[in-house]
Short mmCIF file of all heavy atoms in Angstrom, two decimals:
data_model
loop_
_atom_site.label_atom_id
_atom_site.label_comp_id
_atom_site.label_asym_id
_atom_site.label_seq_id
_atom_site.Cartn_x
_atom_site.Cartn_y
_atom_site.Cartn_z
N ARG J 198 -126.24 30.86 -7.00
CA ARG J 198 -126.93 29.68 -7.57
C ARG J 198 -127.60 28.84 -6.55
O ARG J 198 -128.27 27.86 -6.89
CB ARG J 198 -125.93 28.81 -8.37
CG ARG J 198 -125.46 29.49 -9.67
CD ARG J 198 -124.83 28.46 -10.58
NE ARG J 198 -124.38 29.05 -11.84
CZ ARG J 198 -123.12 29.23 -12.16
NH1 ARG J 198 -122.15 28.84 -11.33
NH2 ARG J 198 -122.80 29.75 -13.36
N TRP J 199 -127.39 29.15 -5.24
CA TRP J 199 -128.05 28.38 -4.24
C TRP J 199 -129.55 28.74 -4.15
O TRP J 199 -129.91 29.90 -4.35
CB TRP J 199 -127.44 28.74 -2.86
CG TRP J 199 -126.10 28.11 -2.57
CD1 TRP J 199 -125.00 28.11 -3.41
CD2 TRP J 199 -125.67 27.47 -1.38
NE1 TRP J 199 -123.95 27.53 -2.80
CE2 TRP J 199 -124.33 27.12 -1.53
CE3 TRP J 199 -126.28 27.19 -0.16
CZ2 TRP J 199 -123.58 26.46 -0.56
CZ3 TRP J 199 -125.56 26.55 0.85
CH2 TRP J 199 -124.24 26.20 0.62
N SER J 200 -130.38 27.76 -3.87
CA SER J 200 -131.78 28.07 -3.52
C SER J 200 -131.75 28.81 -2.20
O SER J 200 -130.87 28.61 -1.37
CB SER J 200 -132.59 26.79 -3.41
OG SER J 200 -132.68 26.17 -4.71
N LEU J 201 -132.79 29.57 -1.96
CA LEU J 201 -132.81 30.44 -0.77
C LEU J 201 -132.85 29.66 0.48
O LEU J 201 -132.12 30.01 1.45
CB LEU J 201 -134.03 31.41 -0.87
CG LEU J 201 -134.16 32.42 0.24
CD1 LEU J 201 -132.91 33.32 0.32
CD2 LEU J 201 -135.43 33.30 0.05
N LEU J 202 -133.67 28.64 0.58
CA LEU J 202 -133.79 27.86 1.82
C LEU J 202 -132.54 27.17 2.27
O LEU J 202 -132.09 27.28 3.41
CB LEU J 202 -134.98 26.94 1.77
CG LEU J 202 -135.29 26.18 3.07
CD1 LEU J 202 -135.48 27.14 4.24
CD2 LEU J 202 -136.53 25.32 2.89
N PRO J 203 -131.89 26.41 1.38
CA PRO J 203 -130.58 25.77 1.75
C PRO J 203 -129.53 26.78 2.20
O PRO J 203 -128.74 26.54 3.08
CB PRO J 203 -130.18 25.06 0.45
CG PRO J 203 -131.43 24.74 -0.25
CD PRO J 203 -132.31 25.94 -0.01
N PHE J 204 -129.55 27.97 1.52
CA PHE J 204 -128.61 29.01 1.91
C PHE J 204 -128.91 29.45 3.35
O PHE J 204 -127.97 29.57 4.13
CB PHE J 204 -128.73 30.22 0.96
CG PHE J 204 -128.28 31.50 1.57
CD1 PHE J 204 -126.90 31.73 1.77
CD2 PHE J 204 -129.20 32.45 1.97
CE1 PHE J 204 -126.49 32.92 2.37
CE2 PHE J 204 -128.78 33.63 2.55
CZ PHE J 204 -127.40 33.91 2.75
N ILE J 205 -130.17 29.75 3.64
CA ILE J 205 -130.55 30.13 4.99
C ILE J 205 -130.14 29.14 6.03
O ILE J 205 -129.60 29.41 7.09
CB ILE J 205 -132.07 30.44 5.06
CG1 ILE J 205 -132.42 31.70 4.25
CG2 ILE J 205 -132.51 30.62 6.54
CD1 ILE J 205 -132.01 33.00 4.87
N GLN J 206 -130.43 27.85 5.70
CA GLN J 206 -130.11 26.77 6.66
C GLN J 206 -128.64 26.65 6.90
O GLN J 206 -128.17 26.28 7.99
CB GLN J 206 -130.68 25.48 6.10
CG GLN J 206 -132.21 25.39 6.14
CD GLN J 206 -132.75 24.18 5.42
OE1 GLN J 206 -132.26 23.80 4.37
NE2 GLN J 206 -133.77 23.58 5.99
N SER J 207 -127.85 26.97 5.84
CA SER J 207 -126.38 26.83 5.95
C SER J 207 -125.77 28.01 6.71
O SER J 207 -124.96 27.79 7.63
CB SER J 207 -125.79 26.78 4.57
OG SER J 207 -124.36 26.87 4.62
N ASP J 208 -126.20 29.23 6.39
CA ASP J 208 -125.55 30.42 6.91
C ASP J 208 -126.22 31.00 8.14
O ASP J 208 -125.62 31.83 8.83
CB ASP J 208 -125.49 31.48 5.81
CG ASP J 208 -124.45 31.20 4.76
OD1 ASP J 208 -124.38 30.04 4.31
OD2 ASP J 208 -123.66 32.11 4.41
N PHE J 209 -127.44 30.60 8.45
CA PHE J 209 -128.19 31.14 9.59
C PHE J 209 -128.81 30.04 10.39
O PHE J 209 -129.98 30.06 10.75
CB PHE J 209 -129.23 32.16 9.12
CG PHE J 209 -128.61 33.35 8.46
CD1 PHE J 209 -128.43 33.43 7.08
CD2 PHE J 209 -128.21 34.46 9.22
CE1 PHE J 209 -127.88 34.54 6.49
CE2 PHE J 209 -127.68 35.59 8.61
CZ PHE J 209 -127.48 35.63 7.24
N SER J 210 -127.98 29.00 10.69
CA SER J 210 -128.49 27.85 11.42
C SER J 210 -129.03 28.18 12.83
O SER J 210 -130.00 27.62 13.29
CB SER J 210 -127.44 26.75 11.52
OG SER J 210 -126.26 27.28 12.14
#
Side-chain angles (χ1 to χ4, degrees):
R198 288 197 180 110
W199 285 47
S200 294
L201 183 58
L202 185 54
F204 157 72
I205 291 287
Q206 291 171 319
S207 171
D208 285 45
F209 296 92
S210 57

